[in-house]
Amino acid sequence: GTSEIANAVENSSIKHVLYISSTTLYEGVQGSIDDETEPICLYPYSYSILRAESQLLRLKNKCKVEILRIPEVFGYSPCIDLNRGLNHT
């Protein structure tokens, strides 16, 4: 998984990592989210995403690490909050 990727990056000359993550980390947050909003994980999937991000963030002294948290990569979810993220209309 992500820890193997982090190990490979650590032992390479890679200078920049862009990790596509998810706004699922904010499922327990009420209202709008921004860069300062702390994740509130409610389900195991969210915790696994947070652990994956932390595996890569440990590399930030070696290379540039950016995490892009995006909602609804594809399709439509009837449960989506249209006042959040990129799905705002």
Side-chain angles (χ1 to χ4, degrees):
T2 308
S3 62
E4 286 83 11
I5 293 171
N7 290 336
V9 170
E10 196 167 37
N11 297 313
S12 74
S13 61
I14 291 173
K15 301 289 183 221
H16 188 184
V17 174
L18 176 62
Y19 184 72
I20 307 300
S21 190
S22 171
T23 56
T24 300
L25 297 172
Y26 303 112
E27 61 206 355
V29 174
Q30 298 295 316
S32 297
I33 57 173
D34 61 23
D35 291 344
E36 304 300 317
T37 306
E38 291 293 322
I40 299 178
C41 302
L42 299 178
Y43 302 103
Y45 177 65
S46 303
Y47 287 106
S48 70
I49 291 171
L50 203 55
R51 282 192 304 271
E53 289 182 4
S54 69
Q55 289 292 318
L56 294 170
L57 287 173
R58 71 181 170 87
L59 302 173
K60 64 183 180 180
N61 291 328
K62 182 195 182 316
C63 64
K64 182 176 183 179
V65 176
E66 295 180 286
I67 296 176
L68 181 61
R69 293 177 178 158
I70 57 175
E72 297 303 314
V73 174
F74 63 91
Y76 170 76
S77 170
C79 300
I80 193 159
D81 180 350
L82 294 176
N83 293 315
R84 293 177 163 203
L86 299 176
N87 279 310
H88 183 70
T89 56

